[in-house]
Amino acid sequence: MTEAQRYTATEILAILSARQLRDGQVVFAGVGIPLLAATLAQRLRCPGLTILFEGGVIGAFVEPGKLPPSTNDQRCTKRANMVLGSADVLLLLQRGYVDVGFMGGAQIDQYGNLNSSFIGDPAAPKTRLPGTGGGNDISSLTNMIVAMKHEKRRFVEHVDFITSPGFIRGDESRGESGLPMGGMFRVITELAVFGFSERSRRMKVLALNPGVSREEVQDNTGFSLDFDETTAMTEPPTDSELQTLRLLDPERLFTA
Amino acid sequence: MTEAQRYTATEILAILSARQLRDGQVVFAGVGIPLLAATLAQRLRCPGLTILFEGGVIGAFVEPGKLPPSTNDQRCTKRANMVLGSADVLLLLQRGYVDVGFMGGAQIDQYGNLNSSFIGDPAAPKTRLPGTGGGNDISSLTNMIVAMKHEKRRFVEHVDFITSPGFIRGDESRGESGLPMGGMFRVITELAVFGFSERSRRMKVLALNPGVSREEVQDNTGFSLDFDETTAMTEPPTDSELQTLRLLDPERLFTA
Amino acid sequence: MLEAQLEPYTRLRENISKRDRSLREKVVSLEEAASFVQDGMKVGIGGSTMSRTPMALIWEVIRQRRKNLSCSRCIVSTDGDLLFGSGVSDHIITSWFAQGILWGLSKVMRHHVETQKKNYEEWSHMGIGMRFRAGGMGVPFLPMRAMLGSDVMKQRPEAKPVNCPFTGEKLLLVPALNPDVALIHVQRCDQYGNAQIDGLQFMDIDLALAANRVILTTERIVSNDQIRRAPDQTKIPFFCVDAVVEVPYGSAPHECFGLYEPMLKHMESYVAQVNADPVNGMREYLERYFYEPKSWNEYLALIGMEELLEASQRGRSIYND
Amino acid sequence: MLEAQLEPYTRLRENISKRDRSLREKVVSLEEAASFVQDGMKVGIGGSTMSRTPMALIWEVIRQRRKNLSCSRCIVSTDGDLLFGSGVSDHIITSWFAQGILWGLSKVMRHHVETQKKNYEEWSHMGIGMRFRAGGMGVPFLPMRAMLGSDVMKQRPEAKPVNCPFTGEKLLLVPALNPDVALIHVQRCDQYGNAQIDGLQFMDIDLALAANRVILTTERIVSNDQIRRAPDQTKIPFFCVDAVVEVPYGSAPHECFGLYEPMLKHMESYVAQVNADPVNGMREYLERYFYEPKSWNEYLALIGMEELLEASQRGRSIYND
């Protein structure tokens, strides 16, 4: 069996995302891969990881096989330490209690800005997307991890619309816009793990996923990427990671 | 037995104050006479009177003989419809859910401004009084009934310090100060019931208490009062009012 | 737009002063309750996504064929589809609008926004929350630190970016939202409207305080004595509430915390039908499930006994440990 | 003054980022907990008047002879006397300061303010509430509609009257208050600090969120399992909390909702003693009840078994119906 056949694109996405979290952190997770990956991290290495959900939940332990269909469902409250109002859980981000925000993404640009509102001209959009939800708040107020599918139309030079701000136009523009805290920390795809350069705030490749080449990443990206000698190669998913993940989502609700 | 011997000054204060309330009203009551009078009204004529307390209580029925020593004590929650945060109960005033605020007073002036902060120069006060508590908020945001002892040093032309605003300097000055709603409605003392003239917003006598003369009221007041043919004479406390009041406060905690 | 949204304080106070806030019985039928919603009103909707949606009230408002409603809710799912698709609303204020993440984009929302020019007014989730909260507090705005720097803010001239007069920091002031009427579903309340909410409360408390009228549907009506025994469990006070309707399964096919989870089979067949044809699919769905049934119970019967029981079993399981 | 009170956002965030917010056991002794309070700190105090006062913590802070504390609490009673009278605090931010309405003015407060020039900084009750709330929300101010037109406002240059940028209405912006440390007493919490509060919650939730450190005393420590079974009853989340101490009767001689009412015999003898002589009476009181006892339990023994039992009987009676 080749490496690529051991897991699906979504599975490696979830597993590499989970690896970004540290025990003891407070993480605000969106539905889908983020919820799944945070739960995976909690089961594997981070029993003291505190997961917050937008619906108003602090410190949940979602049950295997019972992934919630949204972060506003009662399943999100399973064995939670606290359930509170949804404006109040967002205010915890603003006050600063959260270490990491963790979301999916539909379209991202070189500065880590996310678009989940409009494809095409917002005044006469080709596609009206669902919108921000808590995404704008989370990305405005804390350090972000984004897990998303890697396609050229999703990795663009400039997003059509900044729904959830990354580093805006790079350099100091995020702080100057009134967002002194947080910003994009990592972007995880089925091809690579990305960070952002300290000065220009442009996206850069930190590590390639197992069996993925630099060319493959660049070919699937709508802007030029820098690689250098520090670009690493990620360790493949372990059996334990894959087993636990499959236990959590046996119906493949989010890992199809 | 003469009229004046049937009841104490504090008792007639409580009884006449209770008469100002209407069934179905939402009243925000301070501790002491206001709490007692609102409870009296509830027992006598207004079973649907909703009493709010500063500690965070909506719709309590305080028990006879168990008057609370402050509006922040658990006794205030007896048979309440809701208990909530104390900032939140004050915000109900700001939003407009309350018909009447009901407080005691230490010093009042011709425009119904109350002082409970300083006697003498605030910079070097003769006496530092306890301060506003919720009084400033209540009097800023709703229509007020004040129950207080009638003494010349308490009824002054201008208070030393406006702790809880009445009509400030009369005429339109309250609205111009940023308080478009509410204002003083009634002042009740052991001598008389007062209102405020519609234009000038000066205090005026609406009715004399049983057996009290115009001269007696004027002599105990530090500013000139207007009387006219509409000045009425209040009906004396009924036996039922007195009995119920004494049942509520058998230890004479607030009616000594 | 802003003028239509932000009411001056004196008008807000006047509206409230006219409401009968006495402790009075206010139990009415679903029909009467829904008739508080009149054409052109600003309607605030409780719950979030697929949870504690006041679906019975939405169902009845649609049956009463209201027009031009401006609806606000923190997160909108199939309720938004139905409000646009039935024609009762042409303006939805929310932070996220799809049927649910399981099904991707809502073709119904897309049809009405992209080709029918209906208005999906997007704010951040916290933005909606602060707007309801300002409304509930009786202040014209609240300051917040999100939306700044984004195109979401640029599309919202109703909000004002300012420099903090204390610190000089950039802040966004979002205007109060005071709906004409709020529709809220709860697990239990008394006949006066004192409501308890179990589990996730979303933005319902702020919404109830902000609205000029509140209509509650409730899974059960309990005695006022029961309310008074645990007054710290009351989440909405009676004097905010104008009508109470007892509607078991009043959020179906969405969930109600501790009682039933979403009825996903029904949801899936709904999504398949309306996404396949947002116009005719929706028309047929509404005809069958909304207009034809004679009562809410008949609607529940169409969802089916098995699905209701199964959703209830899952719903109650949250308390099994 | 203002500069000392209002922290820039980046500093607030930096303070929080340094706190260990992981789910960890944090049960310590009363001595250790009180040592979080250091000279010169801004100390927020939970409860109100004679209710759920964190008296054991105040007792221990006074025993540790701290200095120059700036204390804030929505309403202050004998706790304020003790903070001024013991010399630990020279600045108290509150809306009302006396021993309790039963006893009239506090001679202790009067002595320290009128002749010792200690600072009783007066705000309206809602003003204090909005300052804690702004602090808890992470915004530098909140708008409100009280204090305007009064001399209370004129004495507070820290607050800014403005014209609303939306409506032109006059509003008062009150600055956030973020204490360095908050002292809060609760009925129960787990070893991580997830706290439940029964009945009156006062401003404690906002205070806990606003403070840079939170010390909880609790009548009992319960298991985390018990907390997780009813997460909607948690009022303060563990990651706001830095230390937990189990102190039965931790509010004595004040009340703790559902457990004990105020111990009025002790309060009355206290008031008689300190009002008769605010200097020597207070010194003798502190000597006997604060400095001499070897432990909190010894202090309780001085209040007396009979008074504790009687207060408990009255306290529990709230649940008798």
Side-chain angles (χ1 to χ4, degrees):
Chain A
M1 191 163 70
T2 69
E3 192 56 28
Q5 288 171 321
R6 283 181 59 229
Y7 44 83
T8 67
T10 324
E11 284 179 333
I12 193 165
L13 200 52
I15 287 165
L16 298 191
S17 299
R19 288 186 189 171
Q20 296 294 328
L21 301 170
R22 302 281 159 266
D23 200 19
Q25 281 184 326
V26 179
V27 55
F28 202 110
V31 75
I33 295 293
L35 183 153
L36 180 59
T39 303
L40 179 61
Q42 209 178 37
R43 302 276 161 167
L44 286 173
R45 299 176 296 107
C46 313
L49 186 75
T50 298
I51 307 177
L52 272 58
F53 295 125
E54 187 182 276
V57 182
I58 295 176
F61 279 91
V62 168
E63 284 182 294
K66 291 197 174 174
L67 297 180
S70 89
T71 51
N72 293 275
D73 281 55
Q74 69 171 31
R75 290 183 177 191
C76 289
T77 70
K78 193 69 191 180
R79 287 189 59 70
N81 284 294
M82 183 170 180
V83 167
L84 70 171
S86 33
D88 297 300
V89 79
L90 290 164
L91 287 170
L92 294 173
L93 285 157
Q94 185 163 278
R95 179 68 181 87
Y97 286 105
V98 179
D99 293 296
V100 181
F102 190 179
M103 284 167 45
Q107 190 187 53
I108 195 166
D109 70 16
Q110 58 184 330
Y111 297 116
N113 301 304
L114 293 164
N115 175 20
S116 57
S117 298
F118 299 95
I119 302 292
D121 177 7
K126 190 171 150 289
T127 309
R128 184 48 161 119
L129 301 172
T132 162
N136 177 287
D137 305 310
I138 302 168
S139 68
S140 296
L141 297 166
T142 194
N143 298 305
M144 289 292 295
I145 300 173
V146 171
M148 61 186 285
K149 278 181 83 170
H150 205 132
E151 297 172 8
K152 201 159 194 163
R153 63 184 184 104
R154 293 178 185 273
F155 275 68
V156 298
E157 194 157 7
H158 295 288
V159 288
D160 293 342
F161 186 90
I162 301 182
T163 306
S164 300
F167 292 109
I168 316 229
R169 291 170 312 280
D171 301 319
E172 304 296 318
S173 60
R174 180 181 166 98
E176 287 162 6
S177 299
L179 307 175
M181 308 304 296
M184 279 292 146
F185 173 64
R186 292 286 182 271
V187 177
I188 320 290
T189 77
E190 71 274 30
L191 300 182
V193 173
F194 301 84
F196 290 82
S197 75
E198 202 139 312
R199 297 281 292 279
S200 72
R201 301 307 201 170
R202 275 193 82 230
M203 200 185 293
K204 64 176 183 187
V205 184
L206 295 181
L208 297 166
N209 290 3
V212 175
S213 69
R214 294 180 177 201
E215 293 65 35
E216 198 177 345
V217 178
Q218 182 62 73
D219 286 352
N220 285 282
T221 302
F223 51 91
S224 74
L225 289 168
D226 295 329
F227 298 88
D228 61 25
E229 65 286 353
T230 68
T231 306
M233 183 67 75
T234 295
E235 289 297 312
T238 66
D239 289 343
S240 145
E241 285 173 321
L242 284 167
Q243 279 163 18
T244 308
L245 179 65
R246 287 165 187 168
L247 191 74
L248 287 175
D249 190 14
E251 294 170 51
R252 303 195 148 246
L253 216 55
F254 299 116
T255 46
Chain B
M1 189 162 70
T2 68
E3 192 56 26
Q5 288 171 321
R6 284 181 59 229
Y7 44 82
T8 68
T10 323
E11 284 179 333
I12 193 166
L13 199 53
I15 287 165
L16 298 192
S17 298
R19 288 186 188 171
Q20 296 293 329
L21 301 171
R22 302 281 159 266
D23 200 18
Q25 281 183 327
V26 179
V27 55
F28 202 109
V31 74
I33 295 294
L35 183 154
L36 181 60
T39 304
L40 179 62
Q42 210 179 36
R43 302 276 163 168
L44 285 172
R45 298 175 295 107
C46 312
L49 186 75
T50 298
I51 307 178
L52 272 58
F53 295 126
E54 188 182 275
V57 181
I58 294 176
F61 278 93
V62 169
E63 284 182 295
K66 291 198 175 175
L67 298 180
S70 89
T71 50
N72 292 276
D73 282 54
Q74 68 171 31
R75 290 183 178 190
C76 288
T77 69
K78 194 67 190 180
R79 287 188 63 69
N81 283 294
M82 183 170 181
V83 167
L84 70 171
S86 33
D88 297 300
V89 79
L90 289 164
L91 288 170
L92 294 173
L93 283 156
Q94 185 163 279
R95 179 67 182 86
Y97 286 106
V98 178
D99 293 296
V100 180
F102 189 0
M103 284 166 47
Q107 189 187 54
I108 195 166
D109 70 15
Q110 59 186 328
Y111 297 116
N113 301 305
L114 292 164
N115 175 20
S116 57
S117 298
F118 298 97
I119 301 295
D121 177 6
K126 190 171 152 289
T127 308
R128 184 51 161 116
L129 300 172
T132 161
N136 177 287
D137 305 311
I138 303 170
S139 69
S140 296
L141 297 166
T142 194
N143 298 305
M144 289 292 295
I145 299 173
V146 171
M148 60 185 285
K149 279 182 83 170
H150 204 132
E151 296 172 10
K152 201 159 194 162
R153 64 184 183 105
R154 293 178 185 272
F155 275 68
V156 298
E157 194 157 8
H158 295 289
V159 286
D160 294 342
F161 186 91
I162 300 182
T163 306
S164 300
F167 292 110
I168 316 228
R169 292 170 310 281
D171 301 318
E172 304 296 318
S173 60
R174 181 181 164 97
E176 285 162 6
S177 300
L179 307 175
M181 308 304 298
M184 280 291 148
F185 173 63
R186 290 287 181 271
V187 178
I188 319 289
T189 77
E190 69 273 31
L191 301 183
V193 174
F194 300 85
F196 290 82
S197 76
E198 200 139 316
R199 297 280 292 279
S200 73
R201 301 306 200 170
R202 276 192 82 233
M203 200 186 293
K204 64 177 184 186
V205 184
L206 295 181
L208 298 167
N209 290 2
V212 174
S213 70
R214 295 179 178 202
E215 292 66 33
E216 198 176 347
V217 178
Q218 182 62 72
D219 287 350
N220 285 284
T221 302
F223 51 90
S224 73
L225 289 167
D226 296 328
F227 298 87
D228 61 22
E229 66 286 352
T230 67
T231 307
M233 184 65 78
T234 295
E235 288 298 313
T238 65
D239 290 342
S240 145
E241 285 172 322
L242 284 167
Q243 278 162 19
T244 309
L245 179 64
R246 288 165 187 170
L247 190 73
L248 287 175
D249 190 14
E251 294 169 52
R252 300 194 152 246
L253 216 56
F254 299 116
T255 47
Chain C
M1 179 67 76
L2 177 61
E3 288 60 38
Q5 300 271 341
L6 189 59
E7 303 199 39
Y9 188 53
T10 48
R11 202 201 301 161
L12 279 176
R13 291 290 302 256
E14 201 191 322
N15 285 340
I16 264 193
S17 72
K18 286 191 211 140
R19 284 164 81 178
D20 180 352
R21 282 161 287 116
S22 67
L23 192 74
R24 65 193 166 86
E25 192 262 320
K26 49 193 80 153
V27 179
V28 297
S29 69
L30 189 59
E31 291 77 3
E32 284 174 89
S35 72
F36 279 78
V37 179
Q38 291 295 309
D39 291 355
M41 276 189 172
K42 292 182 286 178
V43 182
I45 299 176
S48 181
T49 325
M50 293 189 291
S51 296
R52 244 174 358 75
T53 311
M55 194 62 87
L57 278 168
I58 292 171
W59 181 83
E60 182 59 31
V61 163
I62 289 173
R63 286 157 64 92
Q64 293 187 11
R65 299 183 192 263
R66 296 273 74 84
K67 290 281 170 214
N68 301 119
L69 304 180
S70 167
C71 298
S72 51
R73 192 183 191 208
C74 54
I75 289 185
V76 156
S77 71
T78 59
D79 50 304
D81 275 10
L82 296 163
L83 290 164
F84 269 174
S86 66
V88 304
S89 176
D90 46 19
H91 181 204
I92 293 183
I93 300 169
T94 189
S95 70
W96 196 85
F97 189 159
Q99 288 136 349
I101 193 154
L102 296 175
W103 304 293
L105 305 187
S106 163
K107 296 271 173 62
V108 177
M109 182 275 272
R110 288 193 56 195
H111 170 76
H112 287 280
V113 172
E114 293 166 18
T115 73
Q116 302 299 303
K117 301 298 170 205
K118 290 190 183 169
N119 185 359
Y120 160 18
E121 180 183 322
E122 182 175 344
W123 294 75
S124 84
H125 199 211
M126 191 160 76
I128 303 273
M130 292 303 101
R131 294 194 63 194
F132 284 144
R133 183 157 294 179
M137 290 169 73
V139 290
F141 66 83
L142 281 176
M144 57 179 266
R145 298 184 189 271
M147 286 178 65
L148 292 160
S150 72
D151 291 332
V152 178
M153 181 184 81
K154 287 189 191 130
Q155 289 220 327
R156 298 270 66 85
E158 302 90 347
K160 285 185 198 288
V162 297
N163 293 316
C164 172
F166 294 91
T167 61
E169 294 158 2
K170 285 214 168 82
L171 295 168
L172 186 69
L173 308 185
V174 294
L177 179 49
N178 292 98
D180 295 309
V181 58
L183 314 180
I184 297 175
H185 184 69
V186 300
Q187 282 89 355
R188 73 196 74 78
C189 69
D190 66 17
Q191 60 175 350
Y192 308 127
N194 288 299
Q196 297 180 345
I197 296 175
D198 298 335
L200 297 157
Q201 64 194 45
F202 306 113
M203 300 180 181
D204 291 15
I205 297 169
D206 291 323
L207 171 59
L209 293 167
N212 287 314
R213 289 275 182 287
V214 175
I215 314 304
L216 289 188
T217 51
T218 177
E219 293 286 332
R220 50 202 280 225
I221 293 176
V222 299
S223 71
N224 180 249
D225 265 356
Q226 191 171 132
I227 294 291
R228 289 186 191 267
R229 251 179 238 120
D232 53 3
Q233 299 304 307
T234 306
K235 295 299 195 314
I236 297 172
F238 69 91
F239 52 58
C240 294
V241 175
D242 301 85
V244 168
V245 197
E246 192 175 61
V247 191
Y249 293 99
S251 288
H254 291 183
E255 83 169 21
C256 184
F257 192 101
L259 294 171
Y260 45 94
E261 282 201 351
M263 295 156 200
L264 288 178
K265 286 199 198 83
H266 183 84
M267 297 285 287
E268 265 157 33
S269 82
Y270 159 84
V271 170
Q273 178 171 351
V274 299
N275 277 3
D277 184 340
V279 177
N280 296 316
M282 176 57 83
R283 187 168 53 221
E284 285 155 22
Y285 181 85
L286 287 170
E287 201 55 52
R288 174 150 184 228
Y289 288 97
F290 276 52
Y291 301 128
E292 278 180 7
K294 295 208 173 44
S295 66
W296 178 252
N297 286 354
E298 221 175 280
Y299 162 84
L300 294 177
L302 290 175
I303 293 178
M305 178 69 81
E306 192 163 0
E307 178 135 34
L308 246 69
L309 291 178
E310 202 241 338
S312 302
Q313 187 182 31
R314 284 185 283 118
R316 287 187 229 116
S317 74
I318 197 89
Y319 294 122
N320 284 0
D321 292 326
Chain D
M1 181 68 75
L2 177 59
E3 287 61 37
Q5 300 273 341
L6 190 59
E7 304 199 37
Y9 187 53
T10 48
R11 201 200 302 160
L12 279 176
R13 292 289 302 256
E14 201 191 323
N15 285 340
I16 267 193
S17 72
K18 287 191 212 138
R19 286 165 79 178
D20 180 352
R21 281 161 287 116
S22 68
L23 192 75
R24 62 189 168 90
E25 192 262 316
K26 49 194 80 152
V27 179
V28 297
S29 70
L30 189 58
E31 290 77 4
E32 284 173 90
S35 72
F36 279 78
V37 180
Q38 291 296 310
D39 291 355
M41 275 190 173
K42 293 181 285 178
V43 182
I45 299 177
S48 182
T49 325
M50 293 190 289
S51 297
R52 242 176 357 77
T53 311
M55 195 60 88
L57 278 169
I58 292 171
W59 180 83
E60 182 59 31
V61 163
I62 289 174
R63 284 156 66 90
Q64 294 188 10
R65 298 184 193 262
R66 296 272 75 81
K67 290 282 170 214
N68 300 119
L69 304 180
S70 167
C71 298
S72 50
R73 191 184 192 208
C74 54
I75 288 185
V76 157
S77 71
T78 58
D79 50 305
D81 275 11
L82 296 163
L83 290 164
F84 269 173
S86 66
V88 304
S89 176
D90 45 19
H91 181 203
I92 293 183
I93 301 170
T94 189
S95 70
W96 196 86
F97 190 159
Q99 288 137 348
I101 194 153
L102 296 174
W103 303 292
L105 305 188
S106 163
K107 296 271 173 62
V108 178
M109 181 275 274
R110 287 193 56 194
H111 170 75
H112 287 281
V113 172
E114 293 167 18
T115 73
Q116 301 299 303
K117 300 296 170 207
K118 290 191 183 168
N119 185 359
Y120 160 18
E121 180 182 322
E122 182 175 344
W123 294 76
S124 84
H125 199 211
M126 191 161 75
I128 303 274
M130 292 303 101
R131 295 194 63 194
F132 284 143
R133 183 155 295 179
M137 291 168 74
V139 290
F141 65 83
L142 281 176
M144 56 179 268
R145 298 184 188 270
M147 287 179 62
L148 292 161
S150 72
D151 291 332
V152 178
M153 181 184 80
K154 287 187 192 130
Q155 289 221 326
R156 299 270 64 85
E158 302 90 348
K160 286 186 195 290
V162 296
N163 293 317
C164 173
F166 294 93
T167 61
E169 295 157 2
K170 284 213 169 82
L171 296 168
L172 187 69
L173 308 185
V174 294
L177 180 48
N178 292 99
D180 295 308
V181 58
L183 314 180
I184 296 176
H185 184 69
V186 301
Q187 282 88 357
R188 72 195 74 79
C189 69
D190 66 17
Q191 60 174 350
Y192 309 126
N194 288 299
Q196 297 181 345
I197 296 175
D198 298 335
L200 297 158
Q201 65 193 46
F202 306 114
M203 298 179 183
D204 291 14
I205 297 168
D206 291 323
L207 171 59
L209 293 167
N212 287 314
R213 288 277 182 287
V214 175
I215 313 304
L216 289 188
T217 51
T218 177
E219 293 287 331
R220 49 201 280 225
I221 295 177
V222 299
S223 71
N224 180 248
D225 266 355
Q226 191 170 133
I227 294 290
R228 289 185 192 268
R229 251 178 239 119
D232 54 1
Q233 298 305 307
T234 306
K235 296 299 197 314
I236 298 172
F238 70 91
F239 52 58
C240 296
V241 175
D242 300 86
V244 168
V245 196
E246 191 176 63
V247 191
Y249 293 100
S251 288
H254 290 183
E255 84 168 21
C256 184
F257 192 101
L259 294 171
Y260 45 94
E261 282 201 351
M263 296 155 197
L264 288 177
K265 286 196 198 84
H266 183 83
M267 298 284 287
E268 264 158 34
S269 82
Y270 160 83
V271 170
Q273 177 171 351
V274 299
N275 276 2
D277 183 341
V279 177
N280 295 316
M282 175 58 81
R283 187 167 53 219
E284 286 156 22
Y285 180 85
L286 287 171
E287 203 54 52
R288 171 148 187 230
Y289 288 97
F290 276 51
Y291 300 128
E292 280 180 6
K294 295 204 175 44
S295 68
W296 178 252
N297 286 355
E298 222 176 279
Y299 161 84
L300 294 178
L302 290 175
I303 293 178
M305 179 69 82
E306 192 164 0
E307 178 135 37
L308 246 68
L309 292 178
E310 201 241 338
S312 302
Q313 186 182 32
R314 283 185 282 117
R316 288 187 230 116
S317 74
I318 197 91
Y319 295 122
N320 285 359
D321 291 326

